[in-house]
Amino acid sequence: MIRVEHIGIAVKDLETAVPLFEKLLNTSCYKTETVESEGVNTAFFQNGETKLELLEATKEESPIAKFVDKKGEGMHHIAFEVADIESEMKRLSSEGFILLNDKPKQGADNKLVCFLHPKGTRGVLIELCQERK
Ligand code: ZN
């Protein structure tokens, strides 16, 4: 676990959330990207070392749609950058954490990612991410 890479925030729609966060952070969204496999559109902001990822569902079965239905908009996950995602997955699994992915998968922003079940982390969804080289 190297550092917090970004914080993910679930929103109903990027169309109104992006201008709101641009106002809040006084910076422009630098990237939007669709992750088809997850059913999400993402929008990224960076202030110094701090990165935020807004997530909007693209379909009803999207985990983001379910999250927003159940809990409303808000904090969705904390992503930690790791140097070697496979070894970190092995370590966390052997420590008893529940991984939501058997293998690292392609995430937004050129990352390999894996999620940990919030049941095992006091309610916080954790994402591991490693920069794709
Ligand atoms: Zn994320």
Side-chain angles (χ1 to χ4, degrees):
M1 299 283 200
I2 298 169
R3 64 182 181 118
V4 172
E5 211 284 331
H6 64 270
I7 293 171
I9 296 168
V11 301
K12 280 187 186 149
D13 66 286
L14 289 181
E15 197 187 334
T16 59
V18 166
L20 177 78
F21 276 80
E22 286 181 330
K23 232 185 275 174
L24 173 71
L25 301 169
N26 199 22
T27 190
S28 297
C29 167
Y30 71 89
K31 182 184 204 173
T32 56
E33 191 179 339
T34 300
V35 185
E36 213 57 73
S37 59
E38 292 292 291
V40 294
N41 290 323
T42 61
F44 287 93
F45 297 85
Q46 180 124 28
N47 277 40
E49 285 286 288
T50 303
K51 199 160 120 185
L52 295 185
E53 173 186 37
L54 301 185
L55 304 123
E56 160 200 80
T58 59
K59 52 185 179 192
E60 257 171 56
E61 320 84 78
S62 163
I64 295 300
K66 288 178 189 151
F67 180 91
V68 169
D69 271 357
K70 230 162 94 183
K71 302 189 172 173
E73 296 178 293
M75 261 280 303
H76 181 258
H77 65 271
I78 299 177
F80 286 94
E81 182 181 1
V82 297
D84 179 344
I85 194 164
E86 305 220 11
S87 77
E88 202 57 15
M89 285 167 70
K90 261 181 225 145
R91 182 185 74 82
L92 291 165
S93 171
S94 74
E95 294 282 6
F97 292 96
I98 310 153
L99 306 183
L100 292 175
N101 315 100
D102 316 331
K103 292 189 273 204
K105 57 179 189 174
Q106 182 64 53
D109 210 18
N110 199 37
K111 299 280 196 294
L112 287 172
V113 303
C114 172
F115 286 90
L116 302 188
H117 200 293
K119 256 184 202 163
T121 52
R122 305 296 164 103
V124 182
L125 179 62
I126 303 285
E127 174 186 345
L128 307 176
C129 61
Q130 179 194 327
E131 190 83 33
R132 269 183 99 109
K133 306 247 162 63

